[in-house]
Amino acid sequence: MKRGLWDREMVALLLLLAMLPMVFAWLWFGGLDALGRLVFTLVISGIWHLVFMLARAQPPSFAGAITAVGVAMLAPQDLSLLQLILGISFGSVFAELVFGGWGRNVLNPATVTIAFLGFGFPTAAWPDFVAPVGWAALPALAMGVVFGVMSLRLILGAMVAPGVALAFGVPVAAALPVAALVLALLVTDPVASASTRLGGWLNGGLYGALVVLFATGWQGAATAQIAVSAALWASLAAPLLDEAALALWTERRRRRHG
Amino acid sequence: MFGPLFSAGLVLPFSTLPSAQAAPETHITDEAALIPDHGEALRIELLVPEGGRVAQGQPVMRLRDTPGIALVAPMAGQVARIELRPGRQLLQAVLFHDARGDRYRFDTSTAARGPDGLRALLQQSGLWRMFRSRPFGHPPKVAEVAAAIFVMGVDTRPNAAAPAVALAGREADFERGLAALAGFAAGPIFFCEPGKARYGGAVPSQITRLQAGALHPQGAAGLLIHRQFPARIAAPVWDIAAEDVADLGAVLETGYLPPTRLVAIAGDALRETRLVRCQPGADLRGLTQSLVRPGPHDILSGAFLDGRAAHWLAPRDRQVTVLSRAAQPKLRHWFGAALDQAAIAMPIIPTAALEQAMGGAAFPVAAMIRALATRDTEAFTKLGGLSLVEEDVALADYVTGARPRLADQLRAMLNQIAKEEDAA
């Protein structure tokens, strides 16, 4: 039979492709250090995918590489190798692989890994990004939307609260580049974000609102920490937002068709 | 606001049917068969023995449980062989064509006496089985009353013949058929037509006209029913092709069942695509033989999205697809093969492509797919799944390459609901 190309691995590859602008910008400015880190996270993530392939016959997925990219870029710096291994193993296995692999998970494994590492080892410094890396999030998001693997509604929703905050002169500008980076790397994951149309708007809006809230109210937090925390909360709320959107949809149809 | 612009559907490859869809030639194949629909168990009683001669349109068999419903001969000829499964279930009844054969005339005097007379005529003439009742997508039960009927004058599947071509020159029959159907359902009758090429004739005023978009799946009956008049178990919704309504009009006028239907033949194993008028249940080999390029190929009854490999044209199909068979895959490493076989199926990732394939905003697609995968009948019903049959999710199947196929999951779900409903 003939078949189209939108299977899981194609979506994962397109997501990976969309992330390349950020990855290249980050590698360009991070140098060998960043490259080593990326290779290391790729290897650890790959090993866990192999383990689950052999033990549970779960086909390995390029989504593992997406996780690795997210962790390499956003996880706290100067962690020991053991700590990094521990974090990635926890995130990949308990946020993704035990559920049956990418597509059946509830939370984005990279979000879980980074939150685990960030809050588990609070002395480690969060990464800082030079401006071009933050800017590289824009082509990434654009590519994701054009390929149809990221939700435009979610991205627009995420711009609402920061936009309003900027218009009223609230000092959030410093957090925005990293927030955009996290939006492209973690929040727009098509599996872990809301899947309904209204849910997408709400999911993005919640992320944007949390970024603004944390940026103004969380004293002493690094920008990456702010964005990742907002991503974690938004991701946790996504099923609830979907459920609300579905309830509204069924109610509307019930009123229309009886 | 921009909904219709962005949520239209998908442009598919392989749409090779030439725009010259005029004047299709008639091609009656030497053999034809009466077969049940896919997955349908038809317990029958023979009216003509093996070897008997029949006129075109003559009832050959009737259903054992509901003797009023007949299956009629698609062409004049001889009943060559009848194959039954245990329990007198029809497998196939093959007929040989006889060009000098007669045509069978139905008594249409009863049809004038209200809906019951029309029902009897529809059931005797075999047109009854051209209706499809949702939920579940089977021909309607013998005494079932439709809550609404959708007359499908649009077909957006790739390479489909435009129903307008089938109706060309038969406007009077079609309008007579529509007028007859007007009082037949408990609720409204919808006539669905392409938004860009609306039907030119006069449609009776009781009929609601609906315009469908040009991209598949905008013209899929399931999507239109889901939007306009969702099917429920207590309120079944029927759909029927416009050509069959014209056939009904012809039977009402003359008493003779039209002998052909318009069928599009397309696919990548053909030298040329073609429109033909052939009899129902036509022999697909005979139909495509002169068109096929040499080499291994598969013949499907139906569009390449929802078609099934078949020998005979399936009862409701108006499309034949001939696909070249892929070369035998190379021998794979045992480890890869073992892994493939043991692997759990890959989940479907919600993307814009999937949403478009299910008609944009019509469904919360991800929730629907989750309900199918988890066999959650309650959520499935709530999301409007009862308006769907296999062909409505065929595009999503194609786009995502889902395994197991969504169409199979949907069928399993519908069967389960039907079983629970029967038990209750």
Side-chain angles (χ1 to χ4, degrees):
Chain A
M1 263 322 276
K2 294 186 180 302
R3 50 189 276 184
L5 42 79
W6 293 94
D7 63 355
R8 180 179 82 161
E9 289 315 294
M10 179 53 95
V11 177
L13 279 174
L14 287 177
L15 275 172
L16 208 53
L17 184 64
M19 286 176 184
L20 284 184
M22 290 182 295
V23 175
F24 285 145
W26 175 69
L27 285 178
W28 182 260
F29 291 101
L32 272 183
D33 213 21
L35 185 64
R37 209 171 141 87
L38 179 60
V39 170
F40 184 72
T41 53
L42 278 170
V43 167
I44 302 296
S45 176
I47 287 175
W48 277 114
H49 274 256
L50 270 180
V51 166
F52 269 75
M53 174 181 86
L54 296 173
R56 305 268 309 139
Q58 284 178 15
S61 167
F62 287 106
I66 299 174
T67 310
V69 166
V71 173
M73 287 178 72
L74 290 167
Q77 308 289 307
D78 52 68
L79 291 169
S80 72
L81 286 188
L82 186 68
Q83 286 168 329
L84 211 50
I85 293 175
L86 197 65
I88 299 171
S89 304
F90 175 79
S92 296
V93 173
F94 284 102
E96 179 184 283
L97 292 169
V98 290
F99 289 100
W102 194 58
R104 295 195 168 88
N105 51 328
V106 183
L107 293 175
N108 183 324
T111 314
V112 173
T113 305
I114 299 160
F116 175 84
L117 288 171
F119 293 103
F121 307 105
T123 50
W126 288 85
D128 231 353
F129 295 96
V130 291
V133 182
W135 283 110
L138 295 182
L141 290 169
M143 278 163 82
V145 169
V146 168
F147 291 143
V149 293
M150 291 180 185
S151 160
L152 179 62
R153 293 177 187 83
L154 194 153
I155 294 167
L156 292 179
M159 290 176 180
V160 172
V164 170
L166 280 181
F168 283 92
V170 183
V172 293
L176 292 189
V178 183
L181 208 60
V182 169
L183 182 67
L185 280 173
L186 307 180
V187 183
T188 47
D189 174 4
V191 175
S193 61
S195 61
T196 52
R197 294 190 158 198
L198 177 62
W201 282 107
L202 294 175
N203 197 173
L206 180 65
Y207 171 70
L210 286 173
V211 166
V212 170
L213 180 70
F214 292 161
T216 51
W218 191 348
Q219 303 300 325
T223 50
Q225 190 176 13
I226 285 171
V228 169
S229 308
L232 182 64
W233 281 107
S235 174
L236 281 169
L240 182 69
L241 301 174
D242 259 348
E243 206 53 40
L246 276 183
L248 267 175
W249 184 85
T250 41
E251 178 57 29
R252 229 181 21 235
R253 269 187 73 80
R254 200 182 59 78
R255 226 177 296 148
R256 179 158 172 225
H257 296 293
Chain B
M1 180 170 49
F2 296 112
L5 199 64
F6 288 117
S7 68
L10 291 175
V11 182
L12 288 161
F14 325 117
S15 296
T16 52
L17 201 63
S19 52
Q21 288 203 353
E25 60 188 58
T26 302
H27 183 172
I28 301 287
T29 56
D30 292 337
E31 294 181 27
L34 287 169
I35 52 170
D37 230 339
H38 179 80
E40 187 185 31
L42 274 188
R43 298 182 67 225
I44 55 137
E45 207 169 296
L46 289 173
L47 300 173
V48 178
E50 216 167 44
R53 305 202 77 83
V54 289
Q56 182 264 330
Q58 180 181 343
V60 178
M61 54 188 80
R62 60 187 186 195
L63 302 195
R64 214 170 159 78
D65 305 319
T66 50
I69 301 179
L71 275 69
V72 303
M75 58 188 178
Q78 191 178 17
V79 181
R81 62 178 189 278
I82 295 169
E83 294 174 26
L84 300 179
R85 272 196 293 247
R88 305 197 65 77
Q89 282 184 18
L90 178 66
L91 202 60
Q92 60 178 14
V94 181
L95 287 86
F96 289 158
H97 182 223
D98 174 6
R100 288 157 305 161
D102 212 355
R103 295 181 74 182
Y104 183 84
R105 189 164 194 281
F106 292 97
D107 174 19
T108 55
S109 58
T110 55
R113 292 200 297 269
D116 288 343
L118 181 64
R119 180 179 294 262
L121 178 67
L122 283 167
Q123 294 179 351
Q124 284 160 17
S125 62
L127 285 172
W128 184 258
R129 289 174 50 75
M130 294 298 113
F131 285 111
R132 182 172 46 186
S133 165
R134 297 163 197 245
F136 313 130
H138 300 308
K141 297 198 176 68
V142 65
E144 190 174 303
V145 176
I149 299 180
F150 281 71
V151 177
M152 299 306 298
V154 56
D155 192 345
T156 49
R157 280 175 289 187
N159 288 327
V165 177
L167 294 183
R170 301 185 63 191
E171 286 83 2
D173 281 347
F174 176 61
E175 282 149 28
R176 194 176 310 110
L178 270 184
L181 281 184
F184 195 56
I189 314 278
F190 296 94
F191 171 49
C192 311
E193 56 194 339
K196 291 241 175 72
R198 299 183 55 169
Y199 176 68
V203 173
S205 59
Q206 311 95 306
I207 311 270
T208 315
R209 294 175 78 156
L210 286 180
Q211 279 78 41
L215 293 180
H216 198 54
Q218 292 298 314
L223 193 66
L224 290 162
I225 291 173
H226 170 77
R227 284 204 181 123
Q228 295 297 327
F229 202 102
R232 291 195 304 263
I233 290 174
V237 175
W238 300 356
D239 68 278
I240 187 170
E243 193 179 8
D244 293 326
V245 175
D247 285 357
L248 170 64
V251 173
L252 284 173
E253 174 71 5
T254 63
Y256 293 112
L257 189 68
T260 60
R261 72 164 57 153
L262 184 70
V263 171
I265 306 174
D268 60 4
L270 293 181
R271 283 186 285 105
E272 55 175 321
T273 52
R274 185 159 304 172
L275 280 185
V276 295
R277 293 188 194 277
C278 66
Q279 74 270 50
D283 174 23
L284 298 184
R285 297 259 161 218
L287 208 56
T288 56
Q289 201 175 29
S290 59
L291 303 170
V292 183
R293 273 202 304 259
H297 58 268
D298 292 311
I299 302 183
L300 314 182
S301 172
F304 81 86
L305 294 174
D306 55 7
R308 295 189 173 91
H311 190 162
W312 314 103
L313 187 64
R316 285 180 51 93
D317 282 345
R318 303 190 130 70
Q319 227 188 112
V320 177
T321 309
V322 189
L323 299 177
S324 49
R325 200 177 294 155
Q328 289 293 321
K330 271 189 293 184
L331 278 180
R332 299 192 51 198
H333 192 267
W334 64 269
F335 188 73
L339 194 69
D340 267 2
Q341 210 166 18
I344 50 172
M346 285 206 204
I348 298 173
I349 311 293
T351 55
L354 175 66
E355 201 176 275
Q356 297 292 77
M358 289 290 279
F363 293 94
V365 181
M368 176 65 96
I369 282 173
R370 201 173 313 127
L372 281 175
T374 56
R375 294 276 186 110
D376 181 353
T377 50
E378 197 181 329
F380 174 77
T381 311
K382 212 187 273 177
L383 292 173
L386 289 181
S387 301
L388 299 181
V389 297
E390 288 99 317
E391 65 175 45
D392 303 315
V393 296
L395 182 59
D397 253 336
Y398 165 75
V399 163
T400 59
R403 291 284 176 279
R405 286 166 58 97
L406 290 171
D408 297 341
Q409 295 181 31
L410 178 71
R411 180 39 66 195
M413 181 80 105
L414 288 173
N415 287 347
Q416 188 182 336
I417 295 175
K419 208 164 114 193
E420 284 166 9
E421 217 35 53
D422 283 346

